[in-house]
Amino acid sequence: MQKPVQPLGTKDLEAGLRPTKASDFALIAGIAVAMLLVFNSQGLMTWTQRLPSSATTAWLAERAYEWHGCMERLGTAQLMERLKLVFRQYTPET
Amino acid sequence: MIFPTLNFLLFFLTIWVVSWALVACGRHGLHKLVIIAASYVFYAFWSWKLTFLLAFNAIVNWAVGRGIELGRATRWQKVAVTLGVAANLSVLGFFKYYGWFSGELNELLTTVHVERELPLLEIVLPVGISFFTFQGISYVVDLYRGHLDRARGFIDVAFFLSFFPHLVAGPIVRASAFMPQLEKPPNPNRVFVSLGVMLIVWGVFKKAVVANWLAVGLVDPAFRDPTGYGGADLAAATYGYAVQIYCDFSAYSDIAIGAAALLGYRFQRNFNQPYRAVTIADFWRRWHISLSTWLRDYLYIPLGGNRGGRLRTYRNLLVTMLLGGVWHGAAWSFAFWGGLHGLWLGVERFVYGRFGWSPVEAARRWHVLMRGLGILVTFHLVCLLWILFRAADLERAEEVVLGLTHWSQPAELLTPFLAALIAIGLLIQFTPSDMIVRLDHIYQRLPVVAVGVLAGLSLLLIEAVGGDGSAPFIYFQF
């Protein structure tokens, strides 16, 4: 039997890290997704419009449009747009 | 479906909830089945027809594994492993190399005026085939060598080969490292959440901001028409590609490792700050580690490694790197790229061997100034060889190399923003090696809500800086 040159698979990435509960991720993901929905409602709307057309996706696109309208009235959608405009000054033309 | 998209986010969050719910209910078997089904759905986003190839791959490797188990301590074990390796290589060879081989052979036959031609077939290259066939080989060979204690059931083999985080662009996971993790359900109280979140956010930044903008604004235009640009732009595009390919591929690996960690599974590290390598041998210990160690353990060592004298060692290095190059794609440019890396590895071994050192050992003994020089020389050599890797063909690569000597034209493509991205890509090579541990300590001190807000803010910033849409990862084509 041939011996491996070094132990197969490594734990080096996890070395020194402390494992936690899986449920922590639910809270982290929930907050991050909520922030994306509030500030990047334009992205959600664009995504729903690009889905294959069907009654369900049309309904979804309508709800996303309404949601984006709400966020525009709140002013959070404009914040993201302004931030994008700031960076557009530096990024290449596409 | 590609990683940094809303499609994948929704897909992953659904699988995450279902998978941990099943673990909590004690339904480990069903948990595995759901992950396998999810992986096939993930793959079907490219082509549902090719999921049959994935299933075929699982059936063949499972059957070969049974054969190795049944034939233990007899010559049938060797027959079974040979058949298993041959079956995996045949699948890879047919889908990836038949078109290239038949095209080259037909050209050769035409030049010697032979009328017979091999039929040219329109073969679709299944995404990720190079990765899952190598993992199939890992399963049968690890079993044969005794690195795996016993053949696994079909569900475990299918899970190992199709697990969606590594399915289409690696890391190439070893059976002996991964399969023992399937024995017991993952522990919901011992999950590396900080590692998963950090790697995913960091990976999305590298892909959506650094790799995408460098590709769109600098590398693609320069390599599309090298004669249209001067040396300054071509040099910037060469450095830019070095950073782009690192940020693109390491981003995929980071997201894959992070996603697997959040589901309770562990993958091997795939990159370790490769552009701080002091020699080419050192570079291959830091770049695409899962492939370089695979090639070492399943090709270089079986060829004889460094056991048969100096000349045999050079030959083995050259053959291994040549095949490693061709693994990336069926084209002469990849063969030359791999071959030249192999050649340089041989040169390093010869030079340092005169002092009785190995290239990696030699780098450790150097003075700090020599190490700096070594990093510069190695990085530029790697960049020069990346030209072969990126160019559409050898002619285009030659145009880039020749263009690098003409500096009369001012830079048109390079902007301060793109220069800053290149600088970021290079600076991250020199961050402390225990960066993840330091960040984990900060994570442990913060309330989970604050981590969520930080993750959300990071994703919003990435969305604001990144361009619209996400280009496919470079390594999907391999």
Side-chain angles (χ1 to χ4, degrees):
Chain A
M1 181 198 309
Q2 193 175 352
K3 290 271 178 244
V5 173
Q6 65 180 43
L8 294 171
T10 56
K11 289 186 175 175
D12 58 350
L13 272 172
E14 292 92 342
L17 304 189
R18 263 198 292 166
T20 49
K21 286 182 180 173
S23 55
D24 284 0
F25 178 67
L27 190 57
I28 294 169
I31 293 168
V33 168
M35 286 174 72
L36 286 171
L37 287 175
V38 170
F39 291 96
N40 193 29
S41 51
Q42 169 82 55
L44 177 74
M45 194 176 72
T46 314
W47 177 74
T48 55
Q49 286 164 352
R50 285 177 188 164
L51 290 172
S53 64
S54 74
T56 319
T57 55
W59 179 86
L60 213 59
E62 215 169 292
R63 298 290 85 75
Y65 179 76
E66 283 170 14
W67 175 257
H68 180 55
C70 286
M71 293 306 107
E72 276 194 319
R73 283 192 291 281
L74 252 176
T76 53
Q78 283 94 326
L79 260 176
M80 187 67 181
E81 284 312 302
R82 257 179 255 154
L83 195 62
K84 279 185 178 176
L85 277 177
V86 170
F87 287 115
R88 285 291 172 274
Q89 297 170 34
Y90 307 103
T91 53
E93 294 279 324
T94 51
Chain B
M1 193 188 310
I2 53 177
F3 276 170
T5 57
L6 192 53
N7 286 354
F8 180 74
L9 179 71
L10 293 174
F11 168 82
F12 180 72
L13 292 179
T14 311
I15 298 309
W16 186 86
V17 170
V18 175
S19 127
W20 283 113
L22 290 170
V23 169
C25 298
R27 307 292 301 273
H28 187 210
L30 192 57
H31 157 87
K32 287 187 203 171
L33 283 175
V34 164
I35 292 204
I36 294 170
S39 301
Y40 276 73
V41 169
F42 178 79
Y43 199 68
F45 267 79
W46 279 279
S47 163
W48 64 267
K49 288 177 192 163
L50 290 174
T51 55
F52 290 104
L53 179 67
L54 201 58
F56 172 75
N57 183 258
I59 293 167
V60 167
N61 285 299
W62 166 76
V64 169
R66 300 296 307 163
I68 292 171
E69 182 103 328
L70 291 171
R72 266 236 197 269
T74 68
R75 67 191 173 95
W76 290 107
Q77 195 185 16
K78 203 163 196 168
V79 172
V81 75
T82 309
L83 282 174
V85 172
N88 280 295
L89 290 179
S90 305
V91 169
L92 182 63
F94 176 73
F95 282 98
K96 194 157 180 170
Y97 303 106
Y98 179 82
W100 183 46
F101 177 73
S102 55
E104 293 293 321
L105 192 68
N106 285 341
E107 212 168 288
L108 186 75
L109 290 175
T110 313
T111 52
V112 293
H113 309 292
V114 176
E115 294 296 313
R116 287 179 69 105
E117 284 198 347
L118 273 176
L120 286 171
L121 303 175
E122 287 283 327
I123 300 168
V124 177
L125 180 66
V127 66
I129 190 167
S130 308
F131 293 91
F132 64 73
T133 48
F134 267 33
Q135 291 186 172
I137 293 173
S138 157
Y139 173 64
V140 295
V141 174
D142 283 0
L143 194 58
Y144 171 73
R145 287 176 177 172
H147 297 165
L148 258 182
D149 56 346
R150 59 186 165 76
R152 298 304 205 268
F154 179 72
I155 300 293
D156 281 10
V157 175
F159 189 114
F160 163 65
L161 292 172
S162 68
F163 189 32
F164 69 87
H166 69 61
L167 179 58
V168 294
I172 301 169
V173 177
R174 299 287 186 90
S176 50
F178 188 76
M179 286 193 139
Q181 297 182 48
L182 301 177
E183 301 283 312
K184 285 189 283 182
N187 184 346
N189 294 315
R190 288 188 59 79
V191 178
F192 290 99
V193 175
S194 64
L195 179 76
V197 172
M198 282 189 290
L199 287 181
I200 289 174
V201 173
W202 182 232
V204 173
F205 167 76
K206 284 193 288 185
K207 171 63 182 166
V209 178
V210 184
N212 275 1
W213 279 127
L214 282 175
V216 170
L218 181 63
V219 178
D220 291 353
F223 275 83
R224 199 177 302 126
D225 178 22
T227 51
Y229 299 96
D233 274 327
L234 293 176
T238 305
Y239 290 134
Y241 184 64
V243 172
Q244 184 207 336
I245 193 168
Y246 168 72
C247 284
D248 189 285
F249 190 25
S250 71
Y252 192 94
S253 294
D254 286 350
I255 300 171
I257 296 168
L262 291 172
L263 290 167
Y265 295 96
R266 189 168 52 74
F267 287 173
Q268 182 187 0
R269 180 198 287 257
N270 211 18
F271 289 88
N272 186 13
Q273 300 177 308
Y275 296 140
R276 72 188 296 174
V278 184
T279 58
I280 291 289
D282 189 19
F283 173 78
W284 281 104
R285 285 177 173 238
R286 296 166 175 272
W287 178 271
H288 201 175
I289 299 165
S290 64
L291 174 69
S292 54
T293 52
W294 193 100
L295 290 172
R296 179 196 65 195
D297 294 343
Y298 299 96
L299 184 59
Y300 177 69
I301 291 174
L303 278 173
N306 54 7
R307 295 191 301 271
R310 219 182 264 174
L311 280 178
R312 275 186 160 233
T313 305
Y314 299 146
R315 183 205 66 181
N316 296 340
L317 274 174
L318 195 65
V319 170
T320 304
M321 293 310 291
L322 199 69
L323 292 176
V326 177
W327 173 87
H328 287 84
W332 287 111
S333 50
F334 290 118
F336 277 111
W337 174 80
L340 287 169
H341 267 283
L343 202 65
W344 196 258
L345 285 172
V347 169
E348 280 182 350
R349 192 169 269 269
F350 173 77
V351 172
Y352 299 119
R354 314 287 292 176
F355 302 97
W357 303 331
S358 77
V360 178
E361 237 180 82
R364 281 198 204 113
R365 290 164 184 256
W366 284 354
H367 183 267
V368 68
L369 284 177
M370 277 299 287
R371 286 178 63 84
L373 189 68
I375 291 171
L376 265 180
V377 171
T378 304
F379 174 65
H380 282 86
L381 196 63
V382 168
C383 283
L384 206 61
L385 295 178
W386 278 141
I387 294 173
L388 278 171
F389 198 91
R390 172 61 183 83
D393 48 44
L394 289 174
E395 280 167 47
R396 213 63 67 86
E398 194 186 343
E399 284 172 7
V400 176
V401 174
L402 290 176
L404 284 171
T405 58
H406 298 112
W407 284 72
S408 50
Q409 221 171 311
E412 291 169 37
L413 295 169
L414 187 66
T415 62
F417 176 75
L418 295 172
L421 292 184
I422 295 175
I424 290 171
L426 296 179
L427 282 174
I428 56 178
Q429 310 293 322
F430 297 94
T431 53
S433 52
D434 63 344
M435 196 67 163
I436 289 179
V437 178
R438 292 183 193 201
L439 290 171
D440 182 65
H441 289 329
I442 298 172
Y443 170 90
Q444 302 292 348
R445 282 201 293 269
L446 288 173
V448 181
V449 175
V451 177
V453 172
L454 278 176
L457 277 176
S458 309
L459 292 175
L460 283 169
L461 267 176
I462 292 167
E463 172 66 23
V465 190
D468 292 330
S470 189
F473 286 87
I474 294 174
Y475 265 66
F476 278 10
Q477 60 185 301
F478 307 140

